[in-house]
Amino acid sequence: MSDLGTGLSVQPPGLDAPMPVVIPPSRPTGPKPTPLEWVKTNLFSGIGNSLTTVVVGLFVAQIFIINLLELTRGNLTWGMLSGWLISNDYEILRDNLRLWMVGNYPRDELWRPVVAGWLAVATIGVVSGVLFRNAQQTAMQAGTEQSTSRPTDMIRRFWPLLLLIGIFLSLTRTITPLLITIAGVALLMGGRLAGKALPAPIRAYLWFMVLFGLGGYMAIMTGEPTMILAVLSAALAWSLALRFAPAELAAIPRTVLTLVGGIIVIRLGQLVGFGRFIEDLPRDVLDIFGASTGLAIHPMAVLVISVGILAAVTAQAYRSAATGASLARFSLGLIAAGVAFLVGRYFGDLLNTRTEIGVGGAGWDDWGGLHLNLLVAVVGIVVAFPFGLLLALGRRATKDRSDPRSTTLFAIGGAVVGAIVVTIFFGTAAAVRPLGLIDLPFPTVVGAIAGAALGAAIPLSRQSSLPVFWGISVTLIEFIRGVPLITLLFFGDKMLRFLFPKGWEPPSTVSRAMIVVTMFSAAYIAEIVRGGLQAVSKGQIEAAQAVGLPAPKVLRLIVLPQALRAVIPAMVGQAISLWKDTSLLSFISLLEILKVSEIANAQPDFRGSSLSDLTLVFVAVIFALISLTMSKESQRLETKLSVGRAQR
Amino acid sequence: MTATTTVRSSPRPAPWRDVRVLRFVAQLTALIVTYLVVRFLWSNFVANTDEKNIDRDFGFLEQPANFNIQGSSFDRSNSVREAIGVGIKNTFASVIVGAPLALVLGTLIGIARLSKNWLLAKISAVFVELVRNTPPLIVIFVVNFALVLRLPVVADAWTPGGVFVVSNFRLAGPSIATHANAGLFNIVLVLAGLVALAVAVFRTRFSDRTGEPHRRVLWAGGTFLAISAVAYVALGGPHSVSLPRIDGRKVSGGFGTLAPYVALTGALTVYTASHIAEIVRGSILAVPGGQSEAAEAVALNGFQRYRYVVLPQAFRIAIPPVINQFLNYTKNTSLALAVAYAEITFIMVTVIGNGQPATQNIVVLMGTYLLFSLSISVLLNIVNRRLQLVGR
């Protein structure tokens, strides 16, 4: 059409033509330096620089030179690395490799970790393929350069992980592990190809692929596919129903749909065992309030009441057509989920009785070794994330009111009140000398401190529109973050069973550890997400309100996507920290890799030789290489995200 | 229209759609649920401890501890409360030495990582990446097993310079021994310090008035030294240096620390320093590049550029995460279980092992750490507010 005077004809691109790929220009670089020039600029450019090079170089060289000298003399003094590496005897590692990998998993069921591992690796491959294809499509639509990935890039990116796998394989005695690893790598690559080839509608269900992979993993390892299959089918059906609910659905009387959905949910609850809960709950509630327990509340009454509430809500929803339609979809989702749950349970039972999966298997109380560390780390992040999000939202300051002066006044007042109250209740037992000066009763000191904290919290809570939730969130977060993980583990190990009522079976050690680790992780995630929430500028929220979005939608559509995207590097840092903290599980006698090295050293074959060095370094290498992988991924994400931001 | 009409506020929506009513109801429900949950847990706790005949009060604090603590004058008959006191003192001893050391070491390594010398930069990078990615427990184990326990026994200890004693049980250095008049001398020292402060203030005001260089450090330092020297001679030498001597299997004299303390503090210093190095590196990189270029344009050399332009801005960014690392240091001292250093967690575990009620012990333990953490958090908030650049 228009000729821009350059003799070229420029056509505006049609709507279906791909955007021209724009490759941003790269900065000009000078000629590459020769090796001699490089040495001169980087190592010997000035007097200070040369001196540093000489000193550091000597320091590094002497480690190796002294090593070799001592080695020739057959002498190993402390701290010398390479001699130690060569002369060591790796039998202890070879003999106990199974312990280090899966702990005390039943010997004749070892095919389960292998198959579950294959499934996990295939899922990772599919997910990476889907992510790659999604990123490619976004890049194509935005007109930016598409990233290419070659196998050598992958090797450079994941070298710590490959090194770790190589170390493990070098310690095996048969060829089976090598074949298993090769099959795993093949599954990974195949999964990636499959993920890239999936059509777009299926690629949107990325979350479900992860869920199915995880569920399948747990089902195979524990040998109980029924419940997992049922829950997965219900989740999938719910999501599909919500997505594909036809518009005509809104025409069906909403009351009917909601009632049917509600009944199915309650029936499901009774199936899973909440029936007794529904019977006992009113009695327990009345018990707590000290009322008479002569009142027998029939479950049918509870059913009728709940259905009545649902009906009232639906009747209200008639006022707004949009709410009515979404409520109808919600009911359809409930119905679909209920039906899918029952179907899934049926097929799960079939799997259980007709195939090998259901026979044997081990619940996670018997998992150990590297497997246990990974499990606790993954659960600690994945399960803790929603709780951390809730805590962060509770603690979020939505208003700008805080006056340092009134905080101090309230703190002092609170301290006085707290001291008086606690002394009245707990007496003046057990004097302490807090400053070595005067004797103060211990409860008074505790009361003063607690009172000060509570007093200071009152004016601070005015920053949030829901002060009670702010108070609960702050208490939980500051309590959990202020205490070392080891004390929380001891708390979980020794104190938790006192908090359960007498009839309940106390959870196993692994479950207790997972509860504690999840709580711990949730508090840290809450602080990270809170930082991200603060990073979203106020203008975004004001603009959303100006457009008329209700508060929950503002949160879901505007604030959270930006906030969570901003804190991804910090979240990966928290994941690394949690992975490193799984080493503390050895203090509560869980069979994770540090404890395995203690056990291995105590075995009769190896006792007496100072082999704690080797096992210690082995464990340190496992931790370090996996952390290094996660840390490199985090750095890579940081560069990718900051580049994206600059381009926009 | 000049007549003022009262504008009626919009009619209130129905209660079940009124945000204010919903907020109130939600918070009331939350309070009730919290009360019910706490009451439920407490009643379970009471029932279970009654069933097992465990005491629920804090009377165990007065009971004798029945164990010894190495390295202090604590013995079996002292009460549990005094044991906890010793534990708190030991934790504090580790933090007060290790945290500043970690800061200094971490800053140096962080700056070294940005050096123009390729070798130095790479070695620092390898060190930081290696130590940062290892769990602190394993760093403690490595320092303990690979270094401290390999040191010679006391009888064959190393004595570098005749001033230190390095063994696998005790490490000692020179200290100050007090003789007569020591208290008086200390008071004179404090007075001398105040006089030196006054001199510094006087010199600063003098310099403001006349424009001459104040040299207040030289003046104040000289005054202090002069007064101290005169007092030292006049009081007949109240302090002297006490060097550690090997006495068979013990070390007498000097200032001694136990090997577990050195292992723990050394390991945690190195670990925290690697984190602080990353923080310092990130904060130096966050200072805009134009600042460094402008500094070079006004002919500041490398050291001056760092000291006057880059580091002040970098520290503003770095201080909150660094204080967070101090907090982590304090919490990581709980890992002294691995080296049997008698800080508070180890003492609590021993006390529980000796049969005292576990719950109260754990509550006291968590309370102590909470106290440390909350004080450091308050400090962090004050520092944060002072340093914040006012924004929207």
Side-chain angles (χ1 to χ4, degrees), chain A residues 350-361:
Chain A
L350 268 186
L351 267 181
N352 229 344
T353 48
R354 300 273 185 89
T355 64
E356 273 297 308
I357 293 183
V359 183

Side-chain angles (χ1 to χ4, degrees), chain A residues 197-422:
Chain A
L198 285 176
I202 302 188
R203 264 190 278 129
Y205 283 89
L206 185 62
W207 189 71
F208 269 102
M209 295 179 208
V210 174
L211 206 62
F212 269 103
L214 195 63
Y217 184 89
M218 295 295 283
I220 295 178
M221 283 293 286
T222 56
E224 282 171 40
T226 319
M227 228 19 200
I228 293 173
L229 202 56
V231 168
L232 284 179
S233 332
L236 186 61
W238 164 275
S239 181
L240 285 174
L242 281 184
R243 175 110 161 45
F244 292 112
E248 296 81 30
L249 205 57
I252 302 178
R254 299 172 195 120
T255 339
V256 171
L257 276 176
T258 318
L259 282 178
V260 173
I263 290 176
I264 292 192
V265 164
I266 293 176
R267 177 78 189 105
L268 275 176
Q270 287 181 322
L271 240 147
V272 179
F274 278 129
R276 239 178 43 89
F277 180 74
I278 293 178
E279 277 178 27
D280 290 341
L281 176 64
R283 214 175 305 137
D284 287 337
V285 170
L286 293 174
D287 248 339
I288 291 176
F289 280 109
S292 74
T293 55
L295 213 61
I297 298 198
H298 200 264
M300 271 323 269
V302 175
L303 193 70
V304 168
I305 293 173
S306 358
V307 165
I309 294 177
L310 283 170
V313 168
T314 323
Q316 176 53 42
Y318 266 113
R319 298 253 188 138
S320 145
T323 319
S326 60
L327 209 55
R329 273 205 307 276
F330 172 73
S331 317
L332 184 66
L334 278 180
I335 298 170
V339 169
F341 183 85
L342 294 170
V343 168
R345 227 164 83 103
Y346 174 71
F347 277 110
D349 273 333
L350 268 186
L351 267 181
N352 229 344
T353 48
R354 300 273 185 89
T355 64
E356 273 297 308
I357 293 183
V359 183
W364 65 42
D365 299 331
D366 294 323
W367 297 8
L370 183 59
H371 203 79
L372 184 64
N373 288 68
L374 286 172
L375 173 78
V376 172
V378 166
V379 167
I381 292 284
V382 168
V383 175
F385 182 71
F387 292 113
L389 193 57
L390 284 175
L391 283 173
L393 289 174
R395 193 175 172 174
R396 187 161 76 118
T398 44
K399 304 185 190 151
D400 260 335
R401 287 187 232 147
S402 101
D403 181 9
R405 251 176 313 177
S406 76
T407 315
T408 334
L409 280 172
F410 268 89
I412 296 174
V416 168
V417 168
I420 295 174
V421 164
V422 174

Side-chain angles (χ1 to χ4, degrees), chain A residues 10 23 51 219 237 247 277 296 317 372 421 441 443 448 530 594-595:
Chain A
V10 177
I23 301 177
L51 213 61
F277 180 74
L372 184 64
V421 164
R530 184 169 80 105
L594 204 51
K595 192 89 181 158

Side-chain angles (χ1 to χ4, degrees), chain B residues 10-26:
Chain B
S10 48
R12 295 184 59 148
W16 59 84
R17 274 185 314 189
D18 188 353
V19 173
R20 287 171 294 187
V21 170
L22 286 176
R23 274 201 204 131
F24 178 75
V25 167

Side-chain angles (χ1 to χ4, degrees), chain A residues 435-458:
Chain A
L435 294 166
L437 295 172
I438 43 171
D439 261 333
L440 278 178
F442 181 66
T444 313
V445 172
V446 169
I449 295 172
L454 285 173
I458 294 177

Side-chain angles (χ1 to χ4, degrees), chain B residues 6 88 109 141 204 234 255 260 267 328 351 368:
Chain B
T6 49
I88 297 181
I109 299 180
F141 271 129
T204 315
F255 168 75
N328 285 343
V351 165
T368 316

